[in-house]
Amino acid sequence: LVVADLQEGTAEAPADLCGIRWIGFTPDGDAAYLLLASGSTLATLQLSDLSVSAELETAGEYTVLDVSPDGATVALSNVPTTLWTETQYEWNTDDEGMRRLALLRPATGAVTELSTPFALRDVAFSPVDGAVLGVSSRWKGDGWPEAQVYWIEPTTGTIEDQVTFLNCADELAIQPGGIVALLSPNQCMVHPVVLPPPPEVEEWPSTPEEEWDDWEDWDDGDPVSVIDLETRTFEGNLPGFGPLAFSPDGATAVAFSRRETLMTQWNVFQQSVVGLVFIRMADLYWSVFEYGDDEPDFFIESSGTHLYLHDREPGHDRIVRLDLATEAMAVLEGPPTHLTGRAL
């Protein structure tokens, strides 16, 4: 571990802190929570003097750390964090390790561990009441995905409430300053259901047919599910797939749309292959902006007036600025070489 003071331009390496799995900071920035190499030890590092003030042990092993907005609760989980584990999640929804969750209270030393009904895809915290939010999904017998959102009491680990709805689990986007969460998966495959062969005997028996001839058409990540964190209810679905971004003021959310999905599932015509779905959070009114053939990276600037996008259309890197009020789009001067990573 190396701790750098960006204002002073100095860096120090605290002794005996190696192989750290995950780092999370307290809201005041005075300390950092460290998930050590064992995956079962949480250390608190005081950034003022780089001393380790407390260590808490868990029975299970974990890979990911999340800190509540008030800094009182640290949640440890095994949610997928790489492209490979994310794409493999849907085949491992009963995995015991991914179902495990630990809730630690560094101020009191309390440690609570529990298992959720299905593997966790994401962990977040409700800004309404501080509850821990767990997101899972499973595949029903008819091949449709069913997502679950759990409200977990942070001190007891009790699952107080749960909502289920048709969708796939993914990262849960919390509305800034609001009471709504949006679940918009990047990928949502519906498993084909293999039907039994007909009872009559044939000379050349056919193989069991699939309920959908081309089930890859369902790999569209649609829709955007709306969850009310105050009433703890599922409010409905909107078109679009992730990743999804909120404007800093929480007034607008942006997701993607695909032409085929809009036409077949929402009866809306879209000319371009990829579009942008703009959701007005005040009344959940949505509109589609025609974009192009490539799914861009994007973020909303801090003022909330412009959306910046990066794509490779047509065939080279470009930066696009979109005015959220007028929908005027301007192509800015892009980088001279292909970009392989991004930081938004």
Side-chain angles (χ1 to χ4, degrees):
L1 176 69
V2 175
V3 180
D5 187 320
L6 300 182
Q7 292 183 336
E8 298 294 334
T10 59
E12 297 184 55
D16 302 325
L17 288 178
C18 300
I20 296 170
R21 293 193 176 192
W22 209 270
I23 301 174
F25 293 93
T26 57
D28 57 16
D30 291 338
Y33 295 123
L34 311 177
L35 180 58
L36 301 186
S38 65
S40 59
T41 302
L42 179 74
T44 302
L45 178 68
Q46 299 300 326
L47 298 178
S48 58
D49 57 7
L50 302 185
S51 63
V52 176
S53 60
E55 289 190 0
L56 297 177
E57 298 290 336
T58 61
E61 184 177 331
Y62 302 92
T63 57
V64 179
L65 178 156
D66 288 280
V67 182
S68 64
D70 61 4
T73 303
V74 177
L76 304 182
S77 65
N78 292 303
V79 298
T81 57
T82 65
L83 180 60
W84 170 252
T85 55
E86 288 176 357
T87 56
Q88 292 299 304
Y89 168 82
E90 63 173 291
W91 309 105
N92 297 283
T93 55
D94 292 320
D95 182 83
E96 178 59 36
M98 296 177 70
R99 291 170 55 197
R100 191 182 303 122
L101 177 68
L103 304 177
L104 296 82
R105 310 277 288 185
T108 63
V111 177
T112 303
E113 296 184 73
L114 67 144
S115 289
T116 54
F118 299 98
L120 290 169
R121 178 61 180 81
D122 191 30
V123 173
F125 293 90
S126 172
V128 174
D129 50 24
V132 181
L133 302 172
V135 184
S136 300
S137 63
R138 72 180 183 97
W139 300 102
K140 302 193 300 177
D142 58 6
W144 288 93
E146 181 182 73
Q148 303 90 28
V149 176
Y150 315 107
W151 279 260
I152 304 171
E153 210 287 322
T155 59
T156 64
T158 303
I159 298 178
E160 297 180 323
D161 286 297
Q162 174 181 335
V163 292
T164 60
F165 46 90
L166 289 179
N167 209 339
C168 294
D170 211 306
E171 294 182 7
L172 193 66
I174 308 295
Q175 179 187 18
I179 61 170
V180 172
L182 299 180
L183 177 62
S184 182
N186 300 352
Q187 174 177 276
C188 188
M189 289 187 178
V190 173
H191 290 191
V193 177
V194 178
L195 303 177
E200 62 270 13
V201 178
E202 301 179 5
E203 183 177 356
W204 299 100
S206 59
T207 57
E209 63 177 289
E210 294 180 353
E211 186 171 349
W212 299 289
D213 292 334
D214 188 8
W215 67 286
E216 290 184 354
D217 288 345
W218 290 93
D219 182 15
D220 50 26
D222 202 280
V224 177
S225 295
V226 182
I227 300 102
D228 189 313
L229 298 176
E230 192 170 52
T231 61
R232 298 186 173 185
T233 54
F234 165 67
E235 296 299 303
N237 286 329
L238 305 173
F241 66 98
L244 177 143
F246 274 108
S247 61
D249 60 3
T252 305
V254 183
F256 291 113
S257 65
R258 288 193 181 97
R259 179 171 56 201
E260 292 78 6
T261 304
L262 279 181
M263 294 175 63
T264 58
Q265 297 188 23
W266 298 92
N267 197 30
V268 174
F269 178 75
Q270 175 177 302
Q271 185 173 2
S272 58
V273 177
V274 175
L276 298 172
V277 177
F278 292 93
I279 303 170
R280 189 170 62 198
M281 297 303 299
D283 53 7
L284 297 181
Y285 172 82
W286 58 271
S287 60
V288 178
F289 177 82
E290 299 275 355
Y291 188 74
D293 297 326
D294 188 38
E295 298 174 10
D297 303 318
F298 64 89
F299 74 99
I300 302 176
E301 66 171 343
S302 58
S303 66
T305 59
H306 290 90
L307 178 73
Y308 285 87
L309 309 101
H310 160 247
D311 62 30
R312 286 186 54 78
E313 189 172 333
H316 61 272
D317 285 279
R318 67 173 186 171
I319 304 296
V320 177
R321 182 180 62 209
L322 178 65
D323 189 303
L324 293 178
T326 65
E327 295 189 350
M329 189 171 70
V331 179
L332 309 181
E333 184 177 352
T337 59
H338 176 51
L339 301 176
T340 57
R342 65 187 176 100
L344 302 181

